Amino acid sequence: MKLILLGAPGAGKGTVAKLLTKMDGSVQISTGDILRAAVAAGTELGKQAQAAMKAGDLVSDDLIMGIMGERLKEDDCKKGYLLDGFPRTIPQAEALKTLLADMGEELDMVVDIQVPKEVILDRLTTRRTCEDCGEIYNVKSNPTKEEGKCDKCGGNVVQREDETEEAISNRLDVYNEMTAPLAGFYEKEGSLISVDATSSDAVIDAIKAKLG
Ligand code: ADP
Ligand code: ZN
């Protein structure tokens, strides 16, 4: 399947994407993961993205479209892709539309995952992420077996640099201002489904029902 996962930081886009990859071999593409890997590796891309990311601001549309223009042409996209954290602005959505039209591809749907703000805030402050494989944990609801070590790969499990209270609050403001309008954009295109759900399984069920 080919879909976009919309939703505020902490809405569960990554978790839902990981569950969906197991269904049909679609690949999860997270621009956040790609950028964090570039920062960790100290590449030119990483250097250009680092400051904005740390503050919880968006990286430029040009940089993101450069990444995604290449990424969507890779072989593993043939079975489908789950776009997690992209597009995040109207110009990115417009550019994606052109890119897909050029490639002769169409999305199955755009899923807007809606979660109450209190739940989001609580999740983001308790979230921990594996530096190596990106696996997500939660100190309250889903801790690692061994403190600070990833169950899957043994990597260091840490609080992200942009998960300070200040950066989180900025990320939520940026989301409301820049990304939330995408729901209206895709509603007009007729491809939007909105799911009010704090459980990832409920989101998966809604997607399955829509795919038929
Ligand atoms: P979140 O948990 O906030 O959804 P992500 O892992 O998707 O976090 O993104 C982390 C950061 O990477 C963002 O705060 C932003 O700086 C940058 N980023 C990721 N995707 C995009 C995008 N599509 N456009 C602009 N910046 C992005
Ligand atoms: Zn790991």
Side-chain angles (χ1 to χ4, degrees), residues 16-34:
V16 167
K18 285 196 175 71
L19 291 168
L20 292 172
T21 58
K22 291 181 189 138
M23 281 170 53
D24 69 351
S26 303
V27 60
Q28 174 188 8
I29 303 179
S30 156
T31 40
D33 285 350
I34 293 171

Side-chain angles (χ1 to χ4, degrees), residues 8-169:
K13 300 183 295 290
T15 308
V16 167
K18 285 196 175 71
L19 291 168
L20 292 172
T21 58
K22 291 181 189 138
M23 281 170 53
D24 69 351
S26 303
V27 60
Q28 174 188 8
I29 303 179
S30 156
T31 40
D33 285 350
I34 293 171
L35 292 168
R36 275 186 292 280
V39 171
T43 63
E44 191 50 40
L45 169 67
K47 284 181 195 137
Q48 287 175 34
Q50 194 161 24
M53 290 179 75
K54 185 169 179 184
D57 289 326
L58 293 183
V59 169
S60 79
D61 291 336
D62 285 349
L63 212 61
I64 295 290
M65 290 317 301
I67 296 172
M68 289 306 292
E70 298 285 315
R71 184 66 189 86
L72 287 171
K73 287 175 187 141
E74 282 176 34
D75 267 355
D76 61 349
C77 290
K78 295 218 166 71
K79 282 191 189 162
Y81 38 80
L82 313 157
L83 304 182
D84 161 12
F86 168 85
R88 239 174 165 100
T89 64
I90 297 281
Q92 287 179 24
E94 301 274 15
L96 175 64
K97 193 175 166 180
T98 309
L99 186 65
L100 292 176
D102 287 347
M103 293 169 59
E105 291 187 10
E106 222 172 297
L107 296 170
D108 294 301
M109 73 186 96
V110 178
V111 185
D112 188 16
I113 307 173
Q114 298 189 325
V115 176
K117 191 171 175 198
E118 313 80 69
V119 177
I120 297 251
L121 281 174
D122 184 57
R123 274 189 194 166
L124 290 177
T125 48
T126 53
R127 178 155 90 173
R128 300 291 182 270
T129 309
C130 173
E131 281 182 326
D132 291 344
C133 77
E135 186 72 9
I136 291 166
Y137 297 91
N138 185 289
V139 289
K140 289 198 229 159
S141 62
N142 177 29
T144 52
K145 292 205 183 74
E146 195 188 327
E147 168 100 44
K149 286 271 164 284
C150 180
D151 296 352
K152 281 179 70 186
C153 79
N156 281 334
V157 172
V158 299
Q159 185 158 27
R160 271 168 42 179
E161 242 187 344
D162 62 355
E163 279 170 358
T164 61
E165 216 166 296
E166 200 186 347
I168 288 171
S169 146

